[in-house]
Amino acid sequence: MSFRIKTSVVLLALFAAFTSFNVPEKKAEEGGIKWMTFEEAVAANKVAPKKIFIDLYTDWCGWCKVMDKKTFSVEAISSYVNANFYAVKFNAEQKEDVIFDGHTFKFVASGRNGYHELAATLTQGKLSYPMGVFMDEEMRILTLLPGFQEAKFFDTVIKYFGENGHKKVSWEEWQKSYQSNL
């Protein structure tokens, strides 16, 4: 093989590798939910109060991955969440400490994986994944939403809290009157 052909093959391989690494990054920037850390959401909420939605997940949770692909990736869902909530993606088994409200929440080794104290506190000890946590502007928990949620149902839930339906009508009344466009 000549030097020129070898050089062309190497350059072509480098180009293919470079473009394959950049494509996923560009796609991730184009849309979807703008996830924050818990600390970023708390800080943003102090400047411009908004409700907070927390997606508690683990790396091993299959249904968490399905929810990312089938619910959170729906453009109408991500747009609404971005406009009306600070969205937090929180690994319930993360090792990093979180300081909130004068308390340091830590990872607790337990069993095979352990858990983070903040996740346990937010769920009142009812850890299951995925778990959605809705908080109001004052950082009070409005509700927990355990398990995988289809996009149409999740749309109904986020509109209930995003439009302050929870302050006006019962959840049962909301479900009867609200029609999701999904």
Side-chain angles (χ1 to χ4, degrees):
M1 202 187 250
S2 75
F3 177 75
R4 180 173 276 165
I5 294 173
K6 286 181 186 176
T7 304
S8 297
V9 170
V10 169
L11 288 174
L12 184 59
L14 286 172
F15 176 75
F18 178 73
T19 56
S20 68
F21 282 69
N22 284 334
V23 171
E25 288 179 39
K26 186 168 175 72
K27 188 173 185 180
E29 293 172 4
E30 290 173 358
I33 294 178
K34 306 288 189 264
W35 297 108
M36 311 171 105
T37 66
F38 184 77
E39 297 91 327
E40 290 169 338
V42 170
N45 190 50
K46 287 179 182 174
V47 175
K50 238 195 227 192
K51 290 176 189 68
I52 296 175
F53 169 71
I54 303 169
D55 174 36
L56 290 177
Y57 75 97
T58 64
D59 291 334
W60 51 262
C61 171
W63 285 110
C64 298
K65 292 172 178 71
V66 174
M67 189 127 171
D68 285 340
K69 288 180 183 172
K70 295 197 175 227
T71 304
F72 297 146
S73 67
V74 173
E75 205 283 323
I77 298 277
S78 60
S79 293
Y80 191 84
V81 168
N82 290 336
N84 295 282
F85 296 88
Y86 293 119
V88 173
K89 193 105 165 125
F90 191 85
N91 185 339
E93 297 175 343
Q94 79 173 32
K95 306 283 192 277
E96 298 82 18
D97 292 351
V98 173
I99 299 170
F100 173 62
D101 202 25
H103 181 75
T104 301
F105 295 89
K106 298 181 173 292
F107 174 78
V108 176
S110 175
R112 201 168 27 153
N113 297 320
Y115 63 92
H116 199 279
E117 289 176 326
L118 182 60
T121 299
L122 291 170
T123 62
Q124 300 159 351
K126 298 173 185 144
L127 293 169
S128 68
Y129 313 107
M131 174 72 78
V133 180
F134 287 88
M135 301 178 86
D136 67 12
E137 297 84 348
E138 286 80 38
M139 305 292 298
R140 294 180 299 226
I141 295 173
L142 296 170
T143 198
L144 302 177
L145 187 62
F148 168 75
Q149 305 300 324
E150 294 283 348
K152 188 172 184 174
F153 180 76
F154 190 72
D155 179 61
T156 304
V157 174
I158 62 174
K159 299 288 176 54
Y160 182 63
F161 292 109
E163 296 176 15
N164 289 320
H166 65 289
K167 294 180 178 180
K168 303 169 192 167
V169 299
S170 71
W171 170 244
E172 291 76 20
E173 288 178 59
W174 183 267
Q175 281 186 293
K176 288 177 189 171
S177 64
Y178 178 77
Q179 292 295 323
S180 174
N181 293 328
L182 300 181

